[in-house]
Amino acid sequence: MAIYYLPSHEYIRTEGDTGLVGISEYAAKQLGAVTYVDMPEEGDEIAAGEEFGAVESRKAASDLFSPVSGEVVEVNEELVDNPKLINNAPLDAWIIKVTISDPAELEKLMDQEAYDKYCSTLH
């Protein structure tokens, strides 16, 4: 299992040829209390770097971008009724589960150390 990040603060936690996609702790703190999560449908195809949904809070709305290309095999239904789960534990409150169609795309993402360094430059 490994976790990779986009500069737009989405993560993918990989396990074999699938991955769980959500937003980072940094993004969750910046957004504040999440009030709504717009998710794709199971079976939808998503592409690396392209928008697949949105997260809304009292402060802002933020588009979600996919770290990889693939098929959405599951959406986190718990977030429909309880979007604040993202604030409580962003790495556990994943938004979608995807089948990764091109594992080489992971090499273009930041690992934890690079992402932490990136976030430290944003203050």
Side-chain angles (χ1 to χ4, degrees):
M1 182 177 77
I3 299 179
Y4 302 94
Y5 296 88
L6 280 171
S8 52
H9 306 290
E10 291 83 4
Y11 70 79
I12 183 164
R13 193 170 71 205
T14 61
E15 214 166 274
D17 65 348
T18 63
L20 299 174
V21 178
I23 65 169
S24 70
E25 260 182 70
Y26 180 90
K29 284 181 183 153
Q30 296 300 309
L31 278 170
V34 175
T35 57
Y36 176 73
V37 182
D38 179 31
M39 297 178 276
E41 300 285 320
E42 288 179 18
D44 283 0
E45 291 289 327
I46 56 174
E50 292 193 6
E51 191 181 319
F52 72 85
V55 175
E56 295 178 16
S57 71
R58 291 192 191 107
K59 283 195 214 173
S62 184
D63 291 334
L64 296 168
F65 297 93
S66 181
V68 295
S69 300
E71 180 185 345
V72 177
V73 292
E74 191 177 341
V75 296
N76 190 345
E77 296 289 346
E78 288 183 3
L79 298 179
V80 174
D81 294 325
N82 198 356
K84 288 187 183 127
L85 290 172
I86 289 176
N87 297 105
N88 300 338
L91 292 177
D92 294 326
W94 52 274
I95 297 169
I96 58 172
K97 182 177 186 177
V98 298
T99 301
I100 301 167
S101 61
D102 183 2
E105 290 174 343
L106 296 170
E107 296 168 19
K108 299 174 185 160
L109 304 173
M110 292 181 273
D111 63 13
Q112 188 70 57
E113 183 181 342
Y115 180 71
D116 290 343
K117 192 178 290 185
Y118 171 74
C119 288
S120 73
T121 68
L122 301 176
H123 299 293

